[in-house]
C-alpha cells in the first residue's frame, strides 16, 4: 500500500542531544513537508522541499535541520539548539506544491 | 504574508444537526487551493474537502460542503446530519505560490452531542 511512514511513533530525548525523525513516502510525490503541532495549536511549518537536494525554511526552522537526498525520504533532525522541542511532529507529502497533502501518523517527541 | 484564520476555537453540534465552521484567508495569489482537514483523537490528518480558487462552484463531498466566497476570502465548512464520528479538530489550509507553501489555521474543535 502507498503511503507515508513516520518513525518512531514515540521518541524521548535527553537535553543537549540531537535526534532524527524519519519520514518515508512511496507515493512518488515531489513535495514533502515537516510540521510541528503543540497542544491546542495548529500546524506550524518547519521545512519543506519541492525537489531532491533542495529545501526551504518554514516559519519555525530555528533549531531544526533537514536533508532531501532521495525523493522518498525527508528526515528531520531536532538539534540541541531547539529550546522547546517537546511536541507532535507531522510529515506530509504532495504530488506538486499545489495539491492536497497526505500525512504520516506523526512522531511524539518528549524531552526528558 | 499568507495567513489562515479560524475564529472559532470550539464548536458544538447536536447529532443529526448542521454546523458551519468558519475560515478566512489572505493571499496575494490569483491561483490557489483551499482545504479542510480533520484530525480525530488518533491525530491522523484526514483530508475532508478541497476547493480550487478558479472554480466558482462550491465543493461537496457527501455530508460536507463549503461556502467559498473568493472576494471576501472566506472558506467555511458545512457539516450536515452530524454524526458522533465527526467529533474532531478541523483545520483550514491554503496553498499558494510557486513553491507551494501549505499553511494551516489554528483549528476548531468540534464536539457532537448525542
Amino acid at each position: 500500500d502507498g503511503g507515508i511512514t513516520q518513525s518512531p511513533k514515540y521518541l524521548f530525548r535527553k537535553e543537549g542531544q540531537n535526534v532524527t525523525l524519519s519520514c518515508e513516502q512511496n507515493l512518488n510525490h515531489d513535495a514533502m513537508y515537516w510540521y510541528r503541532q503543540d497542544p491546542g495549536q495548529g500546524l506550524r511549518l518547519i521545512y519543506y522541499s519541492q525537489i531532491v537536494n533542495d529545501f526551504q525554511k518554514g516559519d519555525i526552522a530555528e533549531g531544526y535541520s533537514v536533508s532531501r537526498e532521495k525523493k522518498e525520504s525527508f528526515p528531520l533532525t531536532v538539534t540541541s539548539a531547539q529550546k522547546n522541542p517537546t511536541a507532535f511532529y507531522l510529515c506530509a507529502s504532495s504530488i506538486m506544491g499545489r495539491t492536497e497533502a497526505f500525512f504520516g501518523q506523526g512522531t511524539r517527541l518528549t524531552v526528558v | 504574508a499568507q495567513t489562515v484564520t479560524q475564529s472559532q476555537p470550539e464548536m458544538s453540534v447536536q447529532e443529526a444537526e448542521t454546523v458551519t465552521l468558519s475560515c478566512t484567508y489572505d493571499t496575494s495569489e490569483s491561483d490557489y487551493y483551499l482545504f479542510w482537514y480533520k484530525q480525530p483523537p488518533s491525530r491522523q490528518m484526514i483530508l475532508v474537502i478541497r476547493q480550487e480558487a478558479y472554480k466558482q462552484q462550491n465543493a461537496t463531498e457527501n455530508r460536507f460542503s463549503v461556502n467559498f466566497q473568493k472576494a471576501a476570502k472566506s472558506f467555511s465548512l458545512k457539516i450536515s446530519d452530524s454524526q458522533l464520528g465527526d467529533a474532531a479538530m478541523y483545520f483550514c489550509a491554503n496553498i499558494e505560490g510557486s513553491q507551494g507553501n501549505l499553511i494551516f489555521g489554528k483549528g476548531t474543535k468540534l464536539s457532537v452531542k448525542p
Side-chain angles (χ1 to χ4, degrees), chain B residues 54-105:
Chain B
Y54 65 87
K55 289 187 177 179
Q56 294 185 346
Q57 186 174 5
N58 289 326
T60 300
E61 289 288 342
N62 300 315
R63 298 183 295 107
F64 299 88
S65 62
V66 299
N67 183 5
F68 175 46
Q69 301 289 325
K70 192 172 183 178
K73 295 184 178 178
S74 171
F75 182 61
S76 61
L77 175 70
K78 186 172 81 171
I79 305 174
S80 304
D81 185 25
S82 296
Q83 300 176 1
L84 295 178
D86 294 334
M89 285 289 290
Y90 286 83
F91 293 98
C92 179
N94 166 234
I95 192 164
E96 64 157 46
S98 61
Q99 294 180 318
N101 193 354
L102 182 61
I103 298 297
F104 286 81

Side-chain angles (χ1 to χ4, degrees), chain B residues 6 8-12 21 88-90 107-111:
Chain B
Q6 293 179 250
Q8 305 154 316
E10 296 188 24
M11 291 283 286
S12 180
L21 309 183
M89 285 289 290
Y90 286 83
T108 297
K109 183 178 181 180
L110 178 66
S111 302

Side-chain angles (χ1 to χ4, degrees), chain A residues 31 33 35 48 50 94 96-98, chain B residues 95-102:
Chain A
Y33 308 83
Y35 293 91
Y48 63 103
Q50 296 287 328
S94 64
M96 292 176 63
R98 293 181 176 273
Chain B
I95 192 164
E96 64 157 46
S98 61
Q99 294 180 318
N101 193 354
L102 182 61

Side-chain angles (χ1 to χ4, degrees), chain B residues 10-82:
Chain B
E10 296 188 24
M11 291 283 286
S12 180
V13 63
Q14 203 72 31
E15 194 175 6
E17 297 294 310
T18 296
V19 64
T20 299
L21 309 183
S22 301
C23 173
T24 58
Y25 61 94
D26 191 15
T27 177
S28 57
E29 295 283 323
S30 59
D31 182 23
Y32 53 90
Y33 293 79
L34 296 161
F35 310 96
W36 278 98
Y37 281 87
K38 172 184 178 181
Q39 188 182 42
S42 66
R43 308 195 78 169
Q44 176 70 50
M45 293 289 285
I46 302 166
L47 178 69
V48 175
I49 200 165
R50 59 174 279 172
Q51 175 79 44
E52 292 91 342
Y54 65 87
K55 289 187 177 179
Q56 294 185 346
Q57 186 174 5
N58 289 326
T60 300
E61 289 288 342
N62 300 315
R63 298 183 295 107
F64 299 88
S65 62
V66 299
N67 183 5
F68 175 46
Q69 301 289 325
K70 192 172 183 178
K73 295 184 178 178
S74 171
F75 182 61
S76 61
L77 175 70
K78 186 172 81 171
I79 305 174
S80 304
D81 185 25
S82 296

